[in-house]
Amino acid sequence: MAHLTLAAAILSEILATTSMKYSDGFSRLWPSLGTAVGYLIAFALLAQTLKSMSMGAAYAIWAGVGTAVIAAIGMVFLGESTSALKIFGIFLVIAGVVVLNLDGAH
């Protein structure tokens, strides 16, 4: 169950970060509210995850997956530059999460 809660927290964080892009520096109401609500939900779900998963594992997964997905969204949907170096960097982030979790996520 902890992994499902963490996945929901990550999804909420990704949606909040994407909303922040569209908030135009928090000058647009709905994307700004989406950012605030998304992060509130994300942190509440992360806090629930930490009841049954180690902090190091949960945060590594949270940060790594969130970073990789946000970078991919930027490159695929928002016109940010794509390069072999950026893709390699995403791979390294994911590899780091895997290595940190080799000892188990609980």
Side-chain angles (χ1 to χ4, degrees):
M1 188 63 169
H3 286 91
L4 289 176
T5 306
L6 182 57
I10 293 167
L11 177 61
S12 184
E13 186 264 339
I14 289 166
L15 293 172
T17 301
T18 304
S19 291
M20 190 185 310
K21 170 69 175 170
Y22 291 104
S23 75
D24 196 29
F26 295 113
S27 65
R28 297 180 60 217
L29 178 63
W30 294 113
S32 298
L33 287 175
T35 300
V37 169
Y39 279 122
L40 181 65
I41 292 169
F43 282 109
L45 290 169
L46 180 60
Q48 292 302 309
T49 301
L50 294 176
K51 288 181 176 180
S52 59
M53 183 182 282
S54 73
M55 183 171 59
Y59 198 77
I61 295 167
W62 157 286
V65 172
T67 299
V69 172
I70 287 296
I73 287 171
M75 289 185 280
V76 173
F77 298 108
L78 301 177
E80 295 177 6
S81 66
T82 304
S83 68
L85 192 58
K86 280 187 176 183
I87 293 169
F88 181 64
I90 292 171
F91 169 76
L92 288 175
V93 168
I94 293 168
V97 169
V98 170
V99 169
L100 285 170
N101 284 287
L102 286 176
D103 192 35
H106 302 283

